[in-house]
Amino acid sequence: MPCFPNPFIGEVNKKFTKEELIQAIRQDISGELEAIFLYDAHQMATDNVLAKKVLSSIRDEEKVHVGELFTLLRHLDPTEADLFLEGESEVREIIESLKK
């Protein structure tokens, strides 16, 4: 499980710089991904139909949060957004090569 330094140790009496906000958003994404993993593992570990349904629903809400946070991160750091798109393009090329 990820272990990041806590930016909120003690009372932080200042606003984030843009760079600190970007780092905080990355940490938020990490937390959401961890939550997705845990909810998914818990729903797979039970046969209780209600629990599976609720846990799966919560997991999917966390996935929406990841999308929201990535969109915010792309807005805050356009250079990083370009790198994300480059990675996406590389995978799409591999997918297309496999279809041939």
Side-chain angles (χ1 to χ4, degrees), residues 6-62:
N6 184 348
F8 302 106
I9 293 174
E11 292 290 323
V12 180
N13 295 320
K14 69 176 196 95
K15 300 286 186 184
F16 280 143
T17 64
K18 182 178 180 182
E19 292 77 20
E20 290 168 332
L21 177 58
I22 288 169
Q23 286 295 81
I25 297 301
R26 289 184 184 126
Q27 187 173 10
D28 293 339
I29 291 168
S30 175
E32 297 291 350
L33 291 172
E34 183 177 16
I36 290 166
F37 174 82
L38 292 173
Y39 289 126
D40 202 40
H42 296 165
Q43 70 86 22
M44 290 188 308
T46 185
D47 290 328
N48 182 290
V49 175
L50 175 60
K52 289 178 89 65
K53 183 124 177 119
V54 171
L55 291 167
S56 295
S57 175
I58 295 169
R59 177 205 56 212
D60 292 347
E61 289 174 23
E62 302 300 337

Side-chain angles (χ1 to χ4, degrees), residues 79-93:
T79 302
E80 190 161 319
D82 291 342
L83 294 171
F84 291 156
L85 291 173
E86 182 180 330
E88 182 179 334
S89 176
E90 290 177 9
V91 172
R92 289 184 187 280
E93 287 176 17

